[in-house]
Amino acid sequence: MMISDKPARPDKQVAIQVERPWLEAWNMFKKNRAAVAGLIILSSIIMISLLGPLAFPADPFAGAGPLLSPPGERGFLLGTDQQGRDILVGLLYGSQSTLMVGAAAAAITITIGILVGALAGYYRGWVEEVLLRITEFFQVLPPLLLAMVVVLLFSPSIVTISLAIGIVSWTSTARLVRAEFLRIRELDFVKAERAIGSRNARIIWTIILPNAAPPLIVSAALSVGVAILFEAGLAFLQLSDPNVMSWGYLISVNRPQILEAWWPVTFPGLAIFITVLSVSLIGDGLNDAFNPKLRQR
Amino acid sequence: MNLPIAIARRVGYALILLLAVLVLNFTLLHLAPGDIAETIVGESGGASKEMLAKIRKDYGLDLPFHEQLLNYLDRVAQGDFGHSLFFDQPVTELIFEKLVPTLLLVISSLFIAIVFGTFLGVFAARRPSGLLSQLITVLALLGYALPVFWTGIMLVILFASLIPIFPTSGMDSGPLGASGVGYIWEVLHHMTLPVVTLSTIYLAFYSRLSRASMMDVLGADYIRTARAKGLSEQIVIFKHALRNAVLPVVTFAGLQFGALFSGAVLVENVFSWPGLGTLAFESILRRDTPTLLGILFFSALVVIIANLLTDLAYRLIDPRIKTGAKA
């Protein structure tokens, strides 16, 4: 959900050559303390998701103690749920599927968005007309409902859920990429490339796309967060892979007991919130790093 | 091009979009693995052989794809979206019952988000690094990162046991509740928590949007002119600047209607609000495919109508917009 509906950079071609652009970007990123905190939190969550299950080898679906034991008692740091499952173990194992679906769905979102946006912005004419119509079509369908239909019809699994989320959330990326292509295709270095007879594919992928990367990187980071929320929402509606533990699943199964036990629902929700928050902070930092002109805002 | 023709064109285009939604519905049904007749019946109470045979006949499942599609469109044109076997009711009836509560929830949330959001944004724009601006930045982060259904659950925990001043479930107090004006009050009372939950996300969004847009407008020459000729700050802001600053807010209101519907599905389920979202969840549990496809169609219809209205509102606010030019 980005607000920048304007081109991310001014239309004038700025002839500033940075010697090492990635180092420069990292320096800008470092200045944003919240973004660095977000990066540290997210890296820790990824590490925990990789190492946690190794440290606590257990079946996350199996009961481990008394039902609904409050947090901190009987050796269960975060308590147990209505089937006696250890919430902490559930969170550790659940982080894997949550992060995996988040990354996969965001990758699909970005891929479709780039393809549609690049072709529409570069070729214009009827190609653009058709692709814009398709984009508008997808904007009319409430994304969660469409994802629900797809997942229900093709039965929930990590693959169908990632695909469904990707299919319903690419439209804003496509619009962003198209806007960037419309702007960059008129710049001198692209015209020069065309004048020397480069093939369209080369111009699109190796000349224009890298120059459209800065706003795209920011939008990619944000779509990871959106995808994680989406996955949690689908799991809350009981559309999650029945064989894979996830944070949304924990919330969904423990919801009927919220008035007796707050912890089995509160902790997974906090985990989702912290993860998405860290992704969003990183997104802000990337924005500072790659779109420095916008920082004055 | 004059206004009626422009509107007629938009309506024609909207009809084509609706047709596309139907084709998508039908194609998805056919792409799904397994026997279509069984998919349509769902897992509700194990359909009998006769039932399956009837569905095959009704849907003409032995015909080629394009003929089946035409049959389907023909049935839809007569308002027949199939029969929900679980609820034992035509899908259209089922949806019309639930559409009003959902619209009530979605429109009130959008209204509150836009009014309060614009208000916050306009005041924040006057002091871009002030306290209010920072509050908006924090709100925006929260609005982006909080799972809306979880926020709702937390509110239920808070208001069901700790501060029981708002009801946390349903839309009214049932058959024993009040009637007439008392009923309206009852619904408003029940609406409070769902609307607060749903509007929080968009409140942050609209306050950021209107702040940015107001800051742009306040830098314009005509604002300087208005101030220079000695108009009071109130008049400058609310009469001269706000009208222009509110344009992007209107644009996004139309664009976001679909996303708002998605949020409503989750929020309705948290608060047992008797709308389309709760119906959608029930049809997932029963694998009631016709109902779910019907909900998808009717919510797309609502989004399309909302887009048309936005377009109209836009033209009314800013008469300079050329009729006929597409958005």
Side-chain angles (χ1 to χ4, degrees), chain A residues 6 133 136 144 222 255 280, chain B residues 13 141 144 216 262 269:
Chain A
K6 296 170 187 154
R133 291 297 174 232
E136 279 170 26
L144 186 65
L222 291 179
R255 204 191 125 211
S280 153
Chain B
Y13 177 55
L141 267 179
Y144 171 81
D216 269 351
S262 297
N269 277 295

Side-chain angles (χ1 to χ4, degrees), chain A residues 246-266:
Chain A
S246 77
W247 294 341
Y249 170 82
L250 281 175
I251 296 181
S252 151
V253 290
N254 289 301
R255 204 191 125 211
Q257 282 82 31
I258 44 172
L259 296 183
E260 296 116 69
W262 53 271
W263 54 94
V265 167
T266 305

